[in-house]
Structures are given as structure tokens and as C-alpha cells.
Amino acid sequence: MTPKTMDSIAAELAGYDPQALSASMVSAFLSRLVTPVTQHETVGIFEALGRVLSHDVISPVSVPPHDNSAMDGYAFSGAQLASETPLILKVVGTALAGKAWAGLVKPGECVKIMTGAVMPQGLDTVVPQELVNHRAEDPAQTDVIVVATGLLQTGDNRRQLGEDLRQGQPALQKGALLTPAALGLIASLGLEKINVWRKLRVAYFSTGDEILSLGEAPREGAVYDSNRYTVFGLLTRLGCEVIDMGVVRDEPALLEAAFIRAAAQADAIITSGGVSVGEADYTKAMMKKLGGDAGGVAFWRIAMRPGRPMAVGRILKEISEKNASNSAVLFGLPGNPVAVMVTFLAFVRPALLQMMGSTAAPAPLLKARSSEAIRKKPGRTEYQRGTVSTAPDGSLRVKTTGNQGSGVLSSMVQANGLIVLHHNQGNVTLGDEVDVMMFEGVI
Ligand code: AMP
Ligand code: MG
């Protein structure tokens, strides 16, 4: 698949005001801009966690491989349950997990069976041991059992061959993100290795003359870089191969060199800072050069809060190239630390997942009742930091985490989710239901 060039994206954008794009428009354009990686590799099951399947996994066996008991009890033929009187069965043997009972069982007979043991031939029903009475006064003499009427139906407490997976059927589909449950499923098929898309390589750097790297002495007017660390964490959680390129000063020559180096090594580049109106001009000129004809970078102002300015596009791996396939995708995020995280979650993360080959649907937003009134202007999407908790009646409620300034990173640490106030939504009154995007498993 040939990636869309920014020119064709720009053509699609004609008619929209790039100074006021809605968040949903940006998501839609990004999903058309990026393309999935095409190389795959084979990895051992322990390296497969968090990776994306590049091929369907076809089950080479049925799981379970035989009918077996779901309970400790007694196996018998369910046809005998039709009778009106309690069933009296003689215990003729024992079936253990991993040690089947090989004999034939006649009507009026049963086999003591343990959970997971193979069902003896011809038997289809298990009565749990706690539901039977023993004929003998002495419970040690368990050779005859009584099953009361109306307790069971044919097939009860039997797990059927292939009820989890059928031989020859896809057990997992291409594009699946491998979770702990998926690893277990793969192992249950006896597979030690699995085909996955190669890891996405993402280079990132922070920009700004005022940004200090850790280890540098504090100086007047300077702040320590936080964005590189949140971006590192977000990318690592996503399973990307990260390339940390440090802090780059607001100097066109240095920035240009950094972009060229990043594009050469990575599938995607994430920068923070330098895209606001005052700073964007020289970045724009440089991007025009680095993006070439087939690439290009657009500077957008998104109708959202936080995270208004953003630069998006492609940077060619070699400036002389005209081929958009040979380019890295650029996500130029705003500088403010909360805006970086919000734009990452809203736009970059879904686009990177697509590049990783994942076909997973985004996690659904949850509904929670707002514990307070929230002022909100229609015409932009707002992401407020929230703490979601369970109300006494069991429903979810959410409260904002105080100061919502786009530089207040402590609000992200306190929050366990984002309250998403949609584009057309207005003020929220106390008790209104709002959408929340939970952080769990994401950040
Ligand atoms: P900018 O978008 O470059 O104008 O930056 C907006 C604000 O975010 C400024 O207050 C910057 O100091 C701050 N900022 C930019 N980059 C970083 C960073 N890497 N770490 C912490 N704060 C930053
Ligand atoms: Mg800056």
C-alpha cells in the first residue's frame, strides 16, 4: 500500500480551515496518512507479549483434545436419567487426569472421575461428588451411588472436545495485539514460536532553548525536560522500539540535522515544542525542504484543549527522494507537558497502533456521572484530567483533578482517566453523564 502524500491529504483538507480542525477530523486524516509496517519476524512466546500478529494462528489441534470432566464426581451415560426413580449406579473404576479409564461401562454402572480426566467411552454426563448419596452406611465404601431425580441433564459437567478451539480454525487473527490471555491460548496449541510484525521504531526529541536535560545545572528561566520521559513511557508501553534523541535547541541548522537523523532511523518521529505560531515559521520552511514533493508537513490548529497546535506529515528519508513510501511520519506535538500526553493519547497512539499492524478497535469510552459542574464551550474538544471512582450505588462518578493548566503535569499523575468533552458539547451540570477515557493499561 502506498502511503498518502501530504499533498493528497492537503487536497482532502481543502474546504476545511486548517486553523480550526476538529479532533475527529484530525483522527480521520491521520488514519489515512499512516500505513502499517510490512516486515515480519518469528519470535518465541516469551518475546511475543504486546506484539502484533502478522498471520492468523491456525489451530493445529483441538482444545481440549478429548471430552473430559469439568468436576470431581462420577461419569455415567445420561440416557438413564429419563427414569422417574433415583438412579443407582455401581462404581466400576476410576478415571484420573492424565490416566484414563479404558474399560467399558454398562448401564447401571459409573466411573469415579476427576476434573480434567478423559470421559470413558460411551459416557457423557458427570454427577459432582457432593450431589450423590452413598449406598453403604460407611462412606469409605463408595462402590454404589444414588443420584436423585431432577438433578441433572445429559451432558452436564462434561467439557467437549474442541469446545475452546477446533483443529484447522483460526485461533487468533492477524492484527491481534498479543495479551497475556493470547499467550496462554498460543501455548495451549503447543506453539512455541509466533509470527509478528516487526517493532515500530520511533525517534523522539524535545525542542527549546529553555529545556534542560537531566544532569544539567539549573539556570535562570530554564526548565527540566519532562516530555521526553513521558513520551518514552508512552512509547515503551505501546511496545515500540524507542530512539531517544535528546533536547534540540531552537536553531534551524540543529533542528534540520535532528530531523534528518531521525527520519533516517525511524518509522515515526515525535517532537515536542516549536509548533506554536511564534515558533512555527522557521520550522515550516525547513519542513518544506525536508518533506520534498512527495512528503510535506502541515501545521494545524486543532479545535481542542489542551493541545491546539500540531504539525503532522512525512519527512523523506533522503531529501533527493520523491517516494512517499520512503519517509517517516512526523508528529510535531505542542510543548506543554499535558498537551503532549493528551495529543499522544488522542491522535498519536491510535496512528502508531495502526502502523504497528494492530486491527484492535479502540477501547470504548466509559460513562461516569460528573461530581461537579464543568464549564465547556461548544466548538472544541476538551480533555480534562479526572479521577473516576465507584459511587455507593455501584455507578461510576468522576471528578476533575483541580488545576487543568496544560503545563500542570501533576494533574495527569493524580488522574486515572481523561474526561472527554466532545466538540459540540456545552456546559456540564452536576450529575450529568460524561465520557471518560481510562488510563489503565494505556499510560
Ligand atoms: P512551545 O510549544 O515550544 O512554545 O512550549 C510551550 C511550553 O511548554 C513552554 O512553557 C515550554 O517551556 C514548555 N515545554 C516545551 N517543551 C518542554 C519539555 N520538553 N519539558 C517541559 N516543558 C516543556
Ligand atoms: Mg519552544
Side-chain angles (χ1 to χ4, degrees):
M1 190 172 21
T2 315
K4 292 244 174 195
T5 65
M6 279 307 290
D7 285 348
S8 62
I9 297 276
E12 288 180 43
L13 275 169
Y16 297 110
D17 176 5
Q19 298 300 302
L21 291 172
S22 71
S24 58
M25 254 183 236
V26 170
S27 299
F29 288 129
L30 285 178
S31 77
R32 292 208 288 280
L33 176 72
V34 301
T35 50
V37 293
T38 51
Q39 299 99 325
H40 50 84
E41 61 194 16
T42 305
V43 296
I45 193 158
F46 288 117
E47 287 88 63
L49 184 65
R51 304 292 297 270
V52 181
L53 271 188
S54 59
H55 297 77
D56 287 354
V57 173
I58 304 295
S59 184
V61 292
S62 288
V63 181
H66 39 67
D67 285 8
N68 68 91
S69 177
M71 302 287 276
D72 290 345
Y74 298 86
F76 62 99
S77 164
Q80 301 164 93
L81 288 167
S83 118
E84 298 280 296
T85 51
L87 202 54
I88 297 170
L89 300 169
K90 183 170 187 310
V91 184
V92 295
T94 304
L96 302 172
K99 201 161 176 226
W101 162 258
L104 270 183
V105 183
K106 296 195 283 285
E109 294 180 345
C110 67
V111 167
K112 186 170 165 66
I113 195 164
M114 299 298 147
T115 305
V118 176
M119 291 292 282
Q121 199 192 335
L123 306 190
D124 54 13
T125 307
V126 173
V127 57
Q129 62 184 11
E130 58 274 22
L131 295 186
V132 303
N133 290 311
H134 293 280
R135 235 328 169 48
E137 295 282 285
D138 176 3
Q141 254 192 325
T142 56
D143 57 344
V144 177
I145 60 163
V146 182
V147 182
T149 53
L151 269 185
L152 295 168
Q153 292 185 332
T154 299
D156 277 359
N157 305 309
R158 171 197 49 169
R159 302 175 184 141
Q160 278 181 296
L161 179 150
E163 77 173 29
D164 190 354
L165 295 167
R166 281 255 164 216
Q167 187 176 12
Q169 299 285 306
L172 286 165
Q173 271 161 2
K174 174 180 166 175
L177 204 56
L178 296 173
T179 58
L183 294 194
L185 191 75
I186 290 164
S188 76
L189 304 178
L191 301 174
E192 285 177 72
K193 290 179 185 293
I194 205 84
N195 295 317
V196 294
W197 295 117
R198 76 156 166 80
K199 279 192 178 184
L200 202 66
R201 286 189 282 273
V202 186
Y204 57 94
F205 56 88
S206 299
T207 71
D209 288 340
E210 80 286 25
I211 307 301
L212 291 174
S213 280
L214 293 181
E216 279 188 80
R219 61 170 190 267
E220 182 69 24
V223 292
Y224 280 109
D225 185 0
S226 56
N227 293 339
R228 245 164 77 223
Y229 303 93
T230 46
V231 169
F232 157 81
L234 290 162
L235 291 173
T236 303
R237 277 280 169 94
L238 206 51
C240 298
E241 203 175 294
V242 296
I243 305 169
D244 184 340
M245 296 186 48
V247 177
V248 180
R249 298 183 147 273
D250 290 320
E251 253 178 62
L254 294 177
L255 279 168
E256 182 171 335
F259 278 117
I260 291 172
R261 235 172 352 114
Q265 309 176 63
D267 302 300
I269 306 167
I270 298 176
T271 64
S272 65
V275 291
S276 55
V277 177
E279 293 182 301
D281 290 349
Y282 58 81
T283 322
K284 265 185 198 165
M286 179 198 320
M287 290 299 167
K288 191 145 184 61
K289 188 163 137 200
L290 299 181
D293 292 343
V297 172
F299 285 75
W300 288 337
R301 285 172 71 74
I302 307 168
M304 68 186 286
R305 202 163 88 162
R308 201 156 152 64
M310 204 167 129
V312 172
R314 295 186 164 281
I315 296 187
L316 294 176
K317 286 182 178 281
E318 305 222 11
I319 301 181
S320 54
E321 284 256 5
K322 298 263 185 246
N323 182 2
S325 320
N326 203 11
S327 59
V329 176
L330 168 72
F331 301 97
L333 307 185
N336 275 309
V338 178
V340 166
M341 295 195 79
V342 168
T343 47
F344 185 96
L345 293 175
F347 306 124
V348 182
R349 189 172 186 276
L352 293 180
L353 279 166
Q354 203 183 322
M355 293 177 79
M356 290 161 62
S358 164
T359 53
L365 298 176
L366 301 182
K367 294 259 179 233
R369 276 182 205 294
S370 181
S371 310
E372 64 199 296
I374 307 175
R375 284 165 61 89
K376 158 73 169 65
K377 269 199 248 163
R380 69 179 182 208
T381 307
E382 285 190 19
Y383 299 85
Q384 304 230 350
R385 276 69 77 206
T387 310
V388 179
S389 59
T390 309
D393 70 356
S395 66
L396 295 181
R397 64 184 170 195
V398 64
K399 199 173 172 325
T400 59
T401 57
N403 187 341
Q404 297 288 312
S406 61
V408 184
L409 206 47
S410 57
S411 69
M412 281 300 279
V413 176
Q414 281 166 33
N416 60 3
L418 286 177
I419 303 171
V420 184
L421 302 172
H422 298 283
H423 191 82
N424 294 324
Q425 205 169 338
N427 289 335
V428 172
T429 45
L430 173 83
D432 277 357
E433 264 193 345
V434 290
D435 277 342
V436 289
M437 179 198 284
M438 296 302 290
F439 289 161
E440 178 59 34
V442 174
I443 71 169

